[in-house]
Amino acid sequence: MANTSRMANAIRALAMDAVQQARSGHPGAPMGMAEMAVALWSRHLRHNPTNPHWANRDRFVLSNGHGSMMLYALLHLTGYPLPLQELKDFRQLHSKTAGHPEVGVTPGVETTTGPLGQGLANAVGMALAEKLLATEFNRPGHAVVDHRTWVFLGDGCLMEGISHEACALAGAWKLNKLVALYDDNGISIDGQISPWFVDDVARRFAAYQWNVIGPVDGHDVDAVSRAIEDAGESATQPTLIICKTHIGKGSPNRQDTAKAHGEPLGEGEVALTRAALGWDHPPFEIPADVYADWDAKAAGTRAEAAWNQVFAAYAQAHPELAAEFTRRMAGALPRDFHQVAVDAAVDAHAKAETVATRKASQLALEHFTARLPELLGGSADLTGSNLTHTSHTPALRIDLAGEVVRDAGGRGGRHINYGVREFGMAAIMNGLALHGGFIPYGGTFATFSDYSRNAIRMAALMKQRVIHVLTHDSVALGEDGPTHQPVEQAASLRLIPGLEVWRPADTAETAVAWACALQSADRPTALLLSRQNLPYAPKSDLGDIARGAYVLAEPSEVGLDRKAQAVLIATGSEVSLALKAQELLARDRIAVRVVSMPSTTVFDRQDMDYKWSVLPDGVPRIAVEMGVTDGWWKYGCAAVIGIDRFGESAPAGALLEYFGFTPENVADTVRTVLARS
């Protein structure tokens, strides 16, 4: 029989040794949660260390990611390809044991955590993915999607407002396979939390329609294990298990203090803790019997083999479903995706409609949602404004029994009403993408992307294909005023490494932007879309739109057979403005090239030859965009027509006149630049 005390102390020893060696880190949480980890990982968690990507594995999320050494210890001890040397290299350059867990870096890590509360929201997304995939793919006698999502969280996660957003949705969606274990130790960096955290957590989660168990003794492996078993009986509710623990458990002088939270114990205290625990082994040395008790490779291999048999029978009975499930979990697009994308763009080009780009987005989505069942849409209470719904995406609804409601055509929901929860939506979408099987997209107003920003950043850091539909993208939204008018958001989003930002000018550019977003398997995308109608910009070719910027109109297209004297660079709604200015200037025999730049982030990655072909050297450049100007000077602009202040409340036409977004002002700016040069 496994010695659970020694198993827990192995976690404590590895945590305090690694933090001490790194002279940096958080030993207290791993030491306090050790028995919780023993209960879950050695008795209930279904996983296979020899194949961390097994499709039907349970998902485990460490939301209080500062306790990363607990997770690294667990991965090492249970047999994942994380050798002891990696633990010795904790927090060192290019090691697999970063200060906070990073998905794609460490085998077995399901999501990148550290910003508190977001791991919990990711777990909600993962549990929702499991429920929806089970509804879509399981058939009588063939439960190929059947796993749980587990999350450890701390006081800080519950203080963050995102925990309210995500956990309320988990209750509404009746995610009964989601189990959260709360490390209730009463300590944060600033000390005892009672002066600033007075929540009755049990009643709070009961109000979310969660099943609440405890408090239980978080240092009693059997008690935690029984609570986990009880959680499995919940048919329609997610479960919160409140585990009372001591931060820094075992440390004679640091236990139950803030000093245990975020700094090494110190060599002397480490020695005292070893003695107090009866752990007489040198740093980083784990006895063979403890390794044996922790080893999960054989059990994991058996569990996956059993599932493989289930899936083989499923594939024989339902070969098309099995192939589709395999494709979806691999993140591959349908074989005919290229043709779908071409059809969407060509259709837009042929119709040449004058519509808002938010409507253009919906038109493109009609094409893509028809052929990509993995597209899972949603909106933060702005569906009718963001236009994220299509005829192929029924609203997601869950009945009283916890089942996904199907419409008259037998279709389950594919469009989520997130409510007014932008941050929660963004982090839940990250969880959906991380789980696999879905490409999530969600809408809100562009100015409210600030609510979502850290989750958008995390998607970029994790290289996840998540698409943000951000409408009402400029002061031209009008009367709602500066609280709703984005001016700095486009520039700010473009600063996030790895995030694709598109601001298309018409229906064809919008269709191409969607196609590029769907093909960006390792990048999230933000689509900035207009509220107001925009005219279609005539174009002879659609091929270069995907390169982020292209020559839309040469001087010859307005009757001037000469080289361009200036280049107007514009995005989104300002492209039509640039074209009108080009016409005005042509009357004065001033030749101007118009470049549409729907994605600066994509254009910036093009080769220099292409960049010079679009923005030729020696020709003055003038950028036009209804936002802050700072980001445009890198293109060597002689002038930028933008807005370096907040907007005003007024009809759109009055605002455009007031801020100088008129063909006449753009033309005058070009004249001024040419006069200077």
Side-chain angles (χ1 to χ4, degrees), residues 504-522:
D506 58 20
T507 52
E509 286 191 6
T510 305
V512 171
W514 263 107
C516 291
L518 292 168
Q519 292 177 92
S520 294
D522 60 356

Side-chain angles (χ1 to χ4, degrees), residues 71-211:
L71 182 53
Y72 299 147
L74 288 166
L75 294 171
H76 169 72
L77 292 167
T78 55
Y80 284 79
L82 190 68
L84 189 62
Q85 185 59 48
E86 292 290 350
L87 276 64
K88 294 180 179 179
D89 292 338
F90 179 52
R91 291 183 162 229
Q92 303 308 300
L93 185 63
H94 302 317
S95 77
K96 294 181 179 180
T97 49
H100 294 81
E102 295 185 28
V103 67
V105 173
T106 313
V109 170
E110 301 284 1
T111 181
T112 300
T113 55
L116 294 176
Q118 284 196 62
L120 176 56
N122 296 163
V124 171
M126 293 175 188
L128 178 61
E130 194 274 346
K131 178 185 277 281
L132 297 180
L133 289 170
T135 299
E136 184 177 354
F137 287 101
N138 288 354
R139 293 296 182 270
H142 301 283
V144 294
V145 182
D146 182 15
H147 55 265
R148 295 187 176 275
T149 303
W150 311 89
V151 55
F152 279 15
L153 60 118
D155 299 302
C157 294
L158 296 183
M159 292 181 207
E160 290 285 358
I162 192 173
S163 67
H164 166 68
E165 297 183 25
C167 292
L169 285 168
W173 295 331
K174 297 178 169 57
L175 301 179
N176 64 303
K177 291 185 179 178
L178 171 64
V179 181
L181 287 85
Y182 167 33
D183 176 31
D184 183 8
N185 63 39
I187 297 289
S188 68
I189 292 175
D190 281 353
Q192 288 283 344
I193 63 174
S194 54
W196 55 84
F197 188 58
V198 297
D199 298 28
D200 185 330
V201 172
R203 293 178 66 186
R204 172 182 162 186
F205 274 76
Y208 296 148
Q209 303 298 307
W210 282 54
N211 171 41

